[in-house]
Amino acid sequence: TLMMIDSLDMNDADRALVVEQCRQSEVDRIVVTHGTDTMVETAAVLAHGLAVADKTVVLTGAMVPFAFGSSDGLFNLGSALSFVQVLPAGVYIAMNGRCFAWHNVRKNKAEGVFEEIR
């Protein structure tokens, strides 16, 4: 566990810590659980930091908080664990049973889903 903060409260130092931990990890397939509000920003920092050039990193989270009782978090985590095992090196976001390249996704708050940027 690196931090337990709301992703809206994350700053550059927090994201740098995520990058550094991924860089130092001995494994080459990493799943990061993250708040959905700034997940895309953290994915971009990971990708641009070249910290994971030879690693597969999949970020995931929950659109419905666990405290609400019927969270999608466990489903998304299971999907992320599957995707991280088969995807080539790079940074991805796994949400709603889909996997997205970090640079081609956005959170659609009105629909409550992540979607490709068209």
Side-chain angles (χ1 to χ4, degrees):
T1 302
L2 297 182
M3 61 196 77
M4 295 289 289
I5 61 173
D6 188 309
S7 69
L8 290 172
D9 295 330
M10 288 184 78
N11 58 37
D12 292 343
D14 296 325
R15 286 188 176 81
L17 177 61
V18 174
V19 169
E20 189 57 30
Q21 290 297 305
C22 287
R23 179 182 292 129
Q24 290 181 8
S25 177
E26 294 178 7
V27 300
D28 60 358
R29 298 186 180 275
I30 301 168
V31 172
V32 176
T33 58
H34 196 289
T36 59
D37 286 320
T38 65
M39 185 183 300
V40 174
E41 288 87 341
T42 299
V45 171
L46 278 163
H48 286 130
L50 300 178
V52 294
D54 58 342
K55 298 183 182 205
T56 304
V57 180
V58 178
L59 290 87
T60 193
M63 293 296 286
V64 179
F66 184 76
F68 288 2
S70 62
S71 176
D72 58 333
L74 288 177
F75 174 78
N76 290 333
L77 180 59
S79 296
L81 289 169
S82 295
F83 286 127
V84 78
Q85 294 178 65
V86 298
L87 289 168
V91 179
Y92 306 89
I93 291 179
M95 292 291 297
N96 319 111
R98 298 181 63 195
C99 189
F100 304 92
W102 71 269
H103 63 280
N104 194 34
V105 64
R106 67 176 166 224
K107 180 179 178 180
N108 181 330
K109 292 181 183 180
E111 298 288 326
V113 297
F114 276 69
E115 62 189 13
E116 283 183 330
I117 298 170
R118 301 195 190 264

